[in-house]
Amino acid sequence: MAKPKIKKIKKDTGRSSSDLITSDNTLKLKGIAEAGAKIVIYDNGVKIGTTKANKKGIWTFKTDALDDGKHNFKIKAKKAASLKTRRRKRPSSTPRSTIRQSRRSPTIPASPTVSRQMTR
């Protein structure tokens, strides 16, 4: 099974569209995986939900409202029942995608993070 990946996090409201800084506390994660795979999404090590990759291997997931602070997203994929073989394999996983949410002014960190800034 190909490793699943988070390809995009929406809505990035920082200074650029790729700085992973946002004031949006409900994010839409979009990624790729094997067609039909079950995708399990974790935030800071806690399971926050599941979704399924379509026949092209594309999946999306919208988070519930997130608290301010740093969020490390990690995903794991499990083969669809129709794709399983006799041998059991461990689910594949991806490196973490990290965002930071904060009510303070956004700064551009050395590593990819997203900060949530409340605008008034």
Side-chain angles (χ1 to χ4, degrees), residues 19-80:
D19 62 5
L20 297 177
I21 296 173
T22 187
S23 61
D24 188 352
N25 70 344
T26 55
L27 302 176
K28 184 176 182 181
L29 308 178
K30 184 176 182 179
I32 59 171
E34 185 173 342
K38 178 181 176 181
I39 308 300
V40 183
I41 299 96
Y42 298 87
D43 179 12
N44 295 326
V46 176
K47 180 180 170 183
I48 60 170
T50 63
T51 190
K52 185 177 178 182
N54 66 19
K55 64 183 177 181
K56 293 182 180 181
I58 298 169
W59 59 268
T60 60
F61 178 79
K62 186 170 182 178
T63 67
D64 290 334
L66 299 169
D67 294 332
D68 285 350
K70 187 176 183 179
H71 295 271
N72 291 308
F73 292 105
K74 184 174 182 177
I75 59 171
K76 292 185 179 180
K78 297 180 182 178
K79 283 191 174 189

Side-chain angles (χ1 to χ4, degrees), residues 96-111:
R96 293 181 176 165
S97 294
T98 303
I99 65 163
R100 181 180 300 277
Q101 289 183 287
S102 174
R103 294 176 195 253
R104 291 177 268 142
S105 297
T107 58
I108 300 183
S111 62

Side-chain angles (χ1 to χ4, degrees), residues 7-22 99 108 112-114:
K7 299 293 274 184
K8 191 179 276 189
I9 298 175
K10 288 187 177 180
K11 176 176 182 187
D12 187 338
T13 61
R15 292 182 188 158
S16 78
S17 63
S18 61
D19 62 5
L20 297 177
I21 296 173
T22 187
I99 65 163
I108 300 183
T113 60
V114 175

